[in-house]
Amino acid sequence: MVLLGEHWFSAISEAVRERGLEVGQMLFRQGEPVFGIFAVITGRLRMVRHTMEGKEVIVHVARAGETFAEPALFSDIYHCDAIADTASRVAILPKDAVLRSFDADPAVGRAFMARLAKQVQSLRSRLEIRNIRSAPERVHQFLVLNSRGERNEVLLDGPLKDAAAEIGLTHEAFYRALATLVQQGRISRQGRLISLTEG
């Protein structure tokens, strides 16, 4: 696992436990007592909050190699649900062990902060995208920020509705925006594989 080579993760490797999850299985629920933070080894988990009206809001999707639930280090309860989108395996990093590692070695704390700083940058990018009013432009910017390789490709690793929710669009608006971008010649699409032809 990629995280094992990271200084902050190696410092607590003896305390780390692994857990497998089936599709749709809960790792933790909103309001439950905190027992740790997590790293995705394989699979994908979504963090979901429930509004007073009973609406489900996806606040984050964690993929292989990513950590999640870091705010729980400074909370008594989890503030969302964590649900496996696919069959997944997670590393459980006990809260006490993580906090002790920060006290024992400042370099561990700095390495962890560097990881969080990257997450903040990613969050700011997502907020920027949500502020774009035009749905096609919003989707295009999302694709630009997530494209990889020389061919500027994006492979959507989950349902279109999840990508839509991540940038604040309905599934229908997201799908229409993709169709518009294809029609304009700005992207080409084969299922979930999207190639940018400009930008």
Side-chain angles (χ1 to χ4, degrees):
M1 182 181 174
V2 67
L3 293 175
L4 285 173
E6 296 189 18
H7 186 56
W8 72 269
F9 194 91
S10 299
I12 61 160
S13 58
E14 289 184 7
V16 172
R17 299 291 176 264
E18 292 185 13
R19 180 174 168 193
L21 298 163
E22 299 300 323
V23 178
Q25 188 175 353
M26 290 269 190
L27 178 61
F28 57 78
R29 291 183 183 275
Q30 187 171 333
E32 286 184 346
V34 167
F35 56 92
I37 64 172
F38 310 90
V40 184
I41 300 170
T42 59
R44 186 177 67 245
L45 286 91
R46 71 181 186 277
M47 311 307 112
V48 176
R49 274 203 192 131
H50 302 278
T51 66
M52 296 292 285
E53 296 79 26
K55 185 179 175 186
E56 195 176 88
V57 178
I58 298 173
V59 294
H60 180 62
V61 177
R63 296 169 170 85
E66 296 180 354
T67 56
F68 63 96
E70 294 90 345
L73 290 174
F74 307 100
S75 177
D76 295 325
I77 60 168
Y78 291 108
H79 295 282
C80 63
D81 295 345
I83 307 161
D85 260 353
T86 63
S88 303
R89 190 150 198 83
V90 298
I92 301 169
L93 291 61
K95 177 178 175 176
D96 291 344
V98 174
L99 293 176
R100 277 197 309 271
S101 73
F102 295 165
D103 292 336
D105 185 353
V108 172
R110 284 195 298 273
F112 188 77
M113 284 190 290
R115 174 172 274 271
L116 294 183
K118 288 179 183 174
Q119 289 182 1
V120 169
Q121 287 175 329
S122 175
L123 175 61
R124 285 178 177 163
S125 294
R126 289 201 303 274
L127 290 174
E128 263 179 54
I129 290 169
R130 282 175 173 256
N131 284 329
I132 298 172
R133 298 185 100 179
S134 159
E137 294 306 321
R138 189 184 300 191
V139 172
H140 188 261
Q141 187 62 17
F142 167 76
L143 295 171
V144 168
L145 289 173
N146 288 282
S147 64
R148 298 286 181 267
E150 292 178 7
R151 297 176 66 183
N152 286 330
E153 292 180 337
V154 179
L155 180 61
L156 299 175
D157 63 353
L160 288 183
K161 66 181 178 63
D162 288 355
E166 194 173 330
I167 61 172
L169 292 174
T170 64
H171 171 258
E172 294 81 9
F174 188 85
Y175 192 85
R176 283 195 303 270
L178 285 176
T180 298
L181 293 171
V182 169
Q183 189 177 28
Q184 292 173 347
R186 299 170 74 186
I187 66 170
S188 61
R189 182 174 168 225
Q190 294 179 324
R192 292 183 183 165
L193 180 64
I194 298 169
S195 299
L196 291 152
T197 55
E198 67 141 51

